[in-house]
Amino acid sequence: MLLSSLEKYLPPQLLSLPHDSKANYMRDILLRYSPEGEGTRVLKHRDHRQRMLASYKVENSERWVHDANFRIMRQNTVNRYGAVLDDFGKEGILSKMMDDFVRPIAKVLFPHVGVSTLDSHHGFIVEYGMYRDVELGEQFSGGELFFRSVRCDKHINSEVQSEEVLDYCHVPGYAVLHRGRHRHGARATTSGCRVNLILWCRSSVFKEMKKYQTDFSRWCGECEHTKRARHKLSIATTPRNWS
């Protein structure tokens, strides 16, 4: 709200720039004239974020697990580098992340897929790329995410519609929240190293309810498409009295 109210005072040559560029310009000015304590707080927050990212590097955690003689379970059979975070004693903080952040946001965005009853999680880190020593896994190219429609079990292999195609480029420090049934994948990381923290959140209630449902049109794109087609056919074949 503050940045929007200040936007009209920008120099004319900046008005046509993208929103993020204008926001950064105004934020720098505000910090320049903010009280010294506020500027110091922002710098400390930035420095703290970098230290946290460094402390969560997979190599550091794996070294700790090895020294403590713990067993490491790999996250899946596809990715060689990475590990399940519960094995590092991160179960509590991941549960808090699910309860305090994922569930409240998902309740607004995805109210039809049982997000209010999330009761378990599976968190892991995956590393992509040839050069795993790149600082913090933030310097990379490639690795774009692609999303190809939301489907239930019955329609998991159905064709994707053009309006259901979405591509996303990763931005270090940003999170992507999506439904588990949103078919997706990642393209190859062509240079550098990319490190992703992935948190699957599950609802046992929703999983049980799916056994007794036959129509998932509230969230499955193919079920919704079929339902609309039947509705149109029903209207087209209904006799009309024009008198």
Side-chain angles (χ1 to χ4, degrees):
M1 291 177 62
L2 175 61
L3 296 180
S4 296
S5 65
L6 294 175
E7 188 172 358
K8 59 184 177 182
Y9 298 108
L10 285 173
Q13 63 270 25
L14 296 179
L15 293 177
S16 59
L17 291 179
H19 174 76
D20 289 346
S21 299
K22 292 187 286 188
N24 289 332
Y25 179 85
M26 290 184 283
R27 190 175 292 112
D28 290 341
I29 293 178
L30 289 173
L31 287 177
R32 191 182 310 163
Y33 293 98
S34 294
E36 183 177 351
E38 176 65 14
T40 303
R41 184 192 68 79
V42 172
L43 292 176
K44 285 184 177 179
H45 176 75
R46 189 177 303 164
D47 182 59
H48 178 65
R49 174 179 174 274
Q50 292 299 324
R51 289 202 304 271
M52 285 190 65
L53 287 172
S55 68
Y56 271 91
K57 289 190 73 174
V58 174
E59 294 93 333
N60 296 341
S61 296
E62 287 188 339
R63 191 178 303 115
W64 174 79
V65 168
H66 180 270
D67 293 341
N69 199 28
F70 283 129
R71 176 183 62 87
I72 297 180
M73 180 175 68
R74 292 300 174 186
Q75 66 285 354
N76 53 47
T77 58
V78 177
N79 301 100
R80 178 181 175 186
Y81 299 114
V84 176
L85 290 175
D86 285 351
D87 290 341
F88 300 106
K90 308 299 184 184
E91 182 177 2
I93 193 171
L94 292 180
S95 294
K96 187 170 180 60
M97 182 184 297
M98 180 180 71
D99 294 339
D100 294 353
F101 295 97
V102 176
R103 185 185 291 125
I105 297 173
K107 283 177 67 175
V108 176
L109 299 177
F110 315 126
H112 305 314
V113 289
V115 293
S116 60
T117 57
L118 296 176
D119 52 17
S120 66
H121 70 264
H122 175 56
F124 54 95
I125 283 180
V126 178
E127 294 184 83
Y128 304 87
M130 297 176 58
Y131 306 104
R132 299 175 64 233
D133 58 344
V134 177
E135 182 66 17
L136 299 180
E138 291 191 357
Q139 302 173 27
F140 62 89
S141 58
E144 298 86 357
L145 282 176
F146 57 87
F147 292 91
R148 297 296 183 264
S149 67
V150 182
R151 294 291 187 266
C152 64
D153 291 340
K154 181 180 178 181
H155 300 118
I156 193 65
N157 295 316
S158 63
E159 294 185 4
V160 60
Q161 306 298 321
S162 58
E163 64 271 15
E164 297 176 309
V165 174
L166 174 66
D167 294 329
Y168 175 81
C169 294
H170 278 292
V171 178
Y174 281 67
V176 179
L177 181 66
H178 65 85
R179 288 163 286 191
R181 282 295 174 182
H182 204 152
R183 299 184 295 189
H184 63 283
R187 296 187 174 86
T189 301
T190 54
S191 66
C193 175
R194 175 167 62 88
V195 180
N196 282 4
L197 187 158
I198 301 172
L199 182 64
W200 295 348
C201 299
R202 307 185 181 103
S203 166
S204 57
V205 174
F206 181 73
K207 184 177 181 179
E208 185 67 20
M209 289 178 61
K210 285 200 308 177
K211 298 178 182 179
Y212 308 99
Q213 286 184 276
T214 58
D215 180 11
F216 298 96
S217 57
R218 299 181 73 187
W219 56 271
C220 172
E222 191 66 22
C223 283
E224 174 64 19
H225 176 73
T226 303
K227 187 176 181 179
R228 288 200 305 265
R230 289 175 179 171
H231 181 67
K232 289 181 179 179
L233 180 61
S234 175
I235 295 176
T237 57
T238 300
R240 290 179 174 83
N241 185 357
W242 298 101
S243 59

